[in-house]
Amino acid sequence: RKEVEQDPGPFNVPEGATVAFNCTYSNSASQSFFWYRQDCRKEPKLLMSVYSSGNEDGRFTAQLNRASQYISLLIRDSKLSDSATYLCVVTPGGGSYIPTFGRGTSLIVHP
Amino acid sequence: DGGITQSPKYLFRKEGQNVTLSCEQNLNHDAMYWYRQDPGQGLRLIYYSQIVNDFQKGDIAEGYSVSREKKESFPLTVTSAQKNPTAFYLCASQMPGGPETQYFGPGTRLLVL
């Protein structure tokens, strides 16, 4: 079983739609969780951290479900500029800060 | 402006040649990482260093070597032993102990002639 799993997509949605991605992780002791955004042929950039209480930043909402070992990212009112690959990142904790990256979920927002 | 730089942006390697990818950061971060990304794939860890003069192998270290003589610099050498080096190489830095966010350089795309 892969440590961090994501549906690769692509998710193809019209502008204005709401779209949600999930990411599952296998290590129940994982400590920190992040969503990164990666544009085509560019480096990943931090989108948001995921806290136990959830995290909202404008149109983006991230949530953590420790019992079921998954994190989610919800994008409301999708924009064309949201088209990218979204990477789920999990850090194991226990003194280790080396993150594990999911393969990413591709989002295409069309007019 | 603080950040991470990588050079060159594109690099061409001939058969049997060693090439070195540069990574420099002025964020004063202790930890630095090298990743490889293949098309449609996630990031795979090649090497990491949590402090100057120390580094550890990642998941796919074979055919690669690194050095960490300065806090700011973490160059990666792709040796001739790496038989399939064509990929997008990303360098990242991080401040251990939090926040655990990684900051990435713009990447180097390595192609084999």
Side-chain angles (χ1 to χ4, degrees):
Chain A
R1 181 182 174 185
K2 291 181 181 161
E3 293 183 49
V4 178
E5 292 199 60
Q6 296 182 251
D7 181 344
F11 285 63
N12 209 317
V13 303
E15 272 186 291
T18 296
V19 62
F21 312 134
N22 280 347
C23 164
T24 59
Y25 60 94
S26 59
N27 182 356
S28 60
S30 295
Q31 188 136 348
S32 301
F33 309 87
F34 308 90
W35 284 103
Y36 278 71
R37 170 191 169 129
Q38 186 175 23
D39 292 298
C40 188
R41 304 176 78 85
K42 299 284 190 181
E43 75 273 25
K45 293 184 178 177
L46 179 68
L47 179 66
M48 57 199 310
S49 302
V50 188
Y51 306 121
S52 296
S53 56
N55 190 19
E56 185 171 322
D57 183 4
R59 299 181 293 107
F60 298 83
T61 300
Q63 293 196 315
L64 167 64
N65 185 319
R66 284 196 182 272
S68 299
Q69 293 181 210
Y70 74 86
I71 65 173
S72 63
L73 178 67
L74 180 77
I75 305 175
R76 290 180 296 276
D77 188 24
S78 298
K79 311 291 185 192
L80 295 176
S81 57
D82 293 334
S83 297
T85 297
Y86 292 84
L87 305 176
C88 170
V89 183
V90 177
T91 302
S96 172
Y97 301 101
I98 302 169
T100 299
F101 288 77
R103 289 190 172 190
T105 297
S106 175
L107 172 65
I108 301 170
V109 182
H110 58 82
Chain B
D1 284 334
I4 303 178
T5 57
Q6 289 185 244
S7 62
K9 188 172 182 180
Y10 295 96
L11 185 58
F12 298 92
R13 193 190 91 163
K14 295 179 182 178
E15 289 286 337
Q17 187 181 37
N18 292 354
V19 292
T20 297
L21 285 60
S22 168
C23 178
E24 305 277 332
Q25 55 101 358
N26 61 5
L27 298 166
N28 200 33
H29 286 169
D30 289 312
M32 297 185 74
Y33 300 76
W34 274 106
Y35 295 94
R36 168 180 173 143
Q37 187 176 36
D38 294 280
Q41 303 295 314
L43 276 66
R44 292 187 289 169
L45 182 63
I46 305 173
Y47 267 98
Y48 64 98
S49 167
Q50 297 194 316
I51 198 167
V52 174
N53 292 322
D54 185 57
F55 49 82
Q56 306 295 329
K57 292 182 179 180
D59 301 318
I60 55 164
E62 186 174 348
Y64 301 97
S65 66
V66 293
S67 62
R68 187 83 187 278
E69 296 177 1
K70 298 186 300 182
K71 188 175 187 177
E72 301 80 17
S73 179
F74 191 39
L76 173 74
T77 297
V78 184
T79 74
S80 57
Q82 174 48 244
K83 297 306 179 189
N84 185 23
T86 297
F88 187 40
Y89 290 86
L90 288 158
C91 178
S93 72
Q94 181 187 43
M95 181 60 77
E100 295 158 32
T101 309
Q102 287 198 331
Y103 297 87
F104 286 86
T108 292
R109 203 163 293 275
L110 177 61
L111 299 166
V112 177
L113 296 177

